[in-house]
Amino acid sequence: MNDDSKQSLGGRARAEKLSREERSTIASVAAKARWEKESDNEMLKATHRGELEIGDIRIPCAVLEDGRRVVSEHGITTALGSRSGASKRIKKGAEEDGAQLPIFLAPYRLKEFITNEILDGPLTPITYKDKTRRVIGYPADAIPAVCEVWLKAREAGRLQKQQLQKAQQAEILMRALAHVGIVALVDEATGYQAERDRDALHQILSAYLSNERLKWAKRFPDEFYKQIYRLKKWEWPNQGNRTPFVGKITNAIVYEKLPPGVIEELQTRNPTKEGTGKRKWKHHQFLSEDIGQPDLRDHLMQLIALMRVSPDWSTFESHLNLAFPNSGDQMALSLSALKGEI
C-alpha cells in the first residue's frame, strides 16, 4: 500500500471517529477559510443588478464585470418554493462531506438526475461582490438546467407528494424560459442591454449566419407540419402540397423567434422574387452550421414538444407566449393574423 493510500485511509478513519458536531465545526472553519482567502480585489463585482420577473416570481440577477450573467442561489431556491428545512439539512450534511450542493437540488430523490455535465457547467457556483455583500450565484442558464432535473424526477415518479409543488414551479419556469432568451432577460432586468457594445448585433449575425449559402438539406421534421395541421384542424394533404399559409406560420413561430436582427438579415439575403412573392432559397440555408443550424434544430424540437401537449391552436399560442415571448413584450404575442381557416 502506498503512502497516499495510507494517508487516505487514515483520514477516513479519523473522520469516522468525529461526531457530527465536530465534522460540522471543521467544515465551517474550512468554508470560512476558503471564503476569506478570496480578497475583494480578486472577487468579481456586479456592475448591473435587477430582478427577473416571471409572472409572480422574482429572481435576483446580475451582470458581472467580465460580462457573465448570474442568478442568486437564494433566488432560484425561492422561485421553486419555500426553503424547506429538510433541504437545508441535506445541504449541510453534504457540505460536511466536502460536497458543494445547492439547496434547490438538495433532496436525495434528485441525485440520479444530476449529471456531471450539469455540475461542471451551469451548477458551478460563482461568488461575487454586490456592493458590500458577497453573494453565491450561478450562471443564468442554471435555471432551465435545474428545472429539467425536477421535471425528470417527476416524470420518473421519484418525487414525494410534498415535492410535487416544486416540480410544478419548475414547469412554469421552464415554459417561461425554455432555454431561449435567458441572457436577454437578464440584460433587460439589469439594464445592461443599454450599455452593450455597439457592434453586438454584428457579432450575433456573424456567428449565427453563414458567409455562404449552404446546400439544401431537410431541416424541418414532418411532425412539425403535421402538428400545425392538427392544431389548426386542417386536413393533411395526401399529395404533400402544403398550403402557403404554413409559410407565414413558420415565419411567426420559428424565424421571428431567433435572435434579434436575424430575420431581418435573412430577408435581406433571401429576398422575395418580384411578381411572385416567393423566395429562391430557404431561410435555413443561410444559418451557420456551428451555431445557427443547431439553434434552429433545438427551437423546432421545443416547438414540437409544446404542440404535442396542446389540444388546439389557442392553447399552443398560450404556451408559445410563455416559452418564447417577443423582444420588448415578454408575455404578449399576437398571432391573430394566423387564426383564419382555409
Side-chain angles (χ1 to χ4, degrees):
M1 181 181 297
N2 59 39
D3 291 340
D4 289 341
S5 297
K6 291 179 181 179
Q7 292 175 357
S8 178
L9 289 175
R12 286 198 294 269
R14 288 192 297 275
E16 290 174 355
K17 293 180 181 180
L18 295 174
S19 67
R20 185 174 184 84
E21 290 74 16
E22 289 172 325
R23 291 200 305 272
S24 178
T25 300
I26 292 173
S28 297
V29 171
K32 183 178 180 181
R34 291 193 301 269
W35 186 270
E36 293 179 346
K37 186 177 180 181
E38 297 179 343
S39 69
D40 288 346
N41 292 332
E42 295 174 342
M43 190 178 301
L44 289 172
K45 299 178 178 61
T47 59
H48 300 74
R49 58 194 60 82
E51 286 188 336
L52 295 178
E53 299 184 10
I54 307 172
D56 295 331
I57 300 173
R58 301 291 185 273
I59 304 178
C61 59
V63 177
L64 305 185
E65 54 190 334
D66 65 352
R68 278 186 289 178
R69 284 74 164 174
V70 296
V71 290
S72 72
E73 178 181 21
H74 174 80
I76 299 177
T77 303
T78 303
L80 291 173
S82 62
R83 296 164 61 90
S84 68
S87 293
K88 293 180 182 179
R89 290 193 296 273
I90 295 171
K91 174 180 171 64
K92 184 177 180 181
E95 288 178 342
E96 290 172 359
D97 293 332
Q100 294 294 324
L101 187 66
I103 292 178
F104 47 77
L105 289 180
Y108 179 79
R109 292 170 178 267
L110 299 178
K111 184 177 180 180
E112 63 183 288
F113 305 100
I114 303 174
T115 65
N116 289 332
E117 182 180 0
I118 295 177
L119 288 173
D120 296 337
L123 287 186
T124 302
I126 302 171
T127 303
Y128 64 95
K129 190 173 182 181
D130 184 355
K131 295 184 178 178
T132 59
R133 298 185 305 121
R134 293 189 179 189
V135 182
I136 297 177
Y138 292 88
D141 58 356
I143 296 179
V146 170
C147 290
E148 281 190 352
V149 171
W150 278 96
L151 294 178
K152 286 179 180 178
R154 184 181 67 177
E155 184 178 358
R158 298 290 195 273
L159 299 182
Q160 295 178 323
K161 184 177 180 180
Q162 65 269 26
Q163 295 173 325
L164 293 177
Q165 180 60 38
K166 290 187 178 181
Q168 178 64 28
Q169 285 294 102
E171 183 176 358
I172 293 173
L173 285 171
M174 182 62 89
R175 286 180 176 178
L177 300 175
H179 284 284
V180 178
I182 181 63
V183 169
L185 289 177
V186 171
D187 287 358
E188 181 177 348
T190 61
Y192 182 66
Q193 62 181 6
E195 298 183 27
R196 285 181 294 204
D197 294 339
R198 293 182 178 181
D199 64 344
L201 177 59
H202 174 72
Q203 293 177 9
I204 291 174
L205 297 181
S206 296
Y208 209 88
L209 299 178
S210 173
N211 291 328
E212 298 181 359
R213 175 177 49 81
L214 304 178
K215 292 183 179 180
W216 182 90
K218 186 173 182 178
R219 303 292 182 185
F220 285 70
D222 289 340
E223 185 177 2
F224 170 76
Y225 298 110
K226 289 181 178 179
Q227 288 292 343
I228 291 177
Y229 272 74
R230 178 183 67 83
L231 295 174
K232 299 291 282 186
K233 302 188 186 307
W234 295 340
E235 182 179 353
W236 180 253
N238 294 328
Q239 303 300 320
N241 295 321
R242 296 188 295 269
T243 168
F245 203 65
V246 171
K248 296 182 179 179
I249 294 178
T250 301
N251 278 334
I253 68 177
V254 178
Y255 290 112
E256 291 180 10
K257 299 301 180 182
L258 298 183
V262 171
I263 180 62
E264 290 80 6
E265 183 64 20
L266 287 174
Q267 291 170 342
T268 299
R269 298 190 184 191
N270 188 30
T272 56
K273 291 185 291 185
E274 186 176 355
T276 66
K278 296 182 179 180
R279 303 182 190 276
K280 185 176 182 180
W281 317 106
K282 299 295 184 182
H283 276 339
H284 60 73
Q285 292 178 259
F286 295 87
L287 300 179
S288 60
E289 291 185 284
D290 57 341
I291 296 179
Q293 297 286 353
D295 193 50
L296 173 65
R297 181 185 64 247
D298 292 345
H299 181 72
L300 288 172
M301 292 302 99
Q302 292 177 70
L303 285 180
I304 291 173
L306 291 178
M307 289 175 174
R308 286 174 178 169
V309 299
S310 303
D312 51 47
W313 186 259
S314 177
T315 304
F316 168 66
E317 280 189 300
S318 298
H319 291 163
L320 187 68
N321 289 341
L322 292 173
F324 303 102
N326 280 339
S327 176
D329 187 8
Q330 295 183 13
M331 304 305 293
L333 172 66
S334 174
L335 294 182
S336 58
L338 304 179
K339 291 182 178 179
E341 301 293 337
I342 59 172

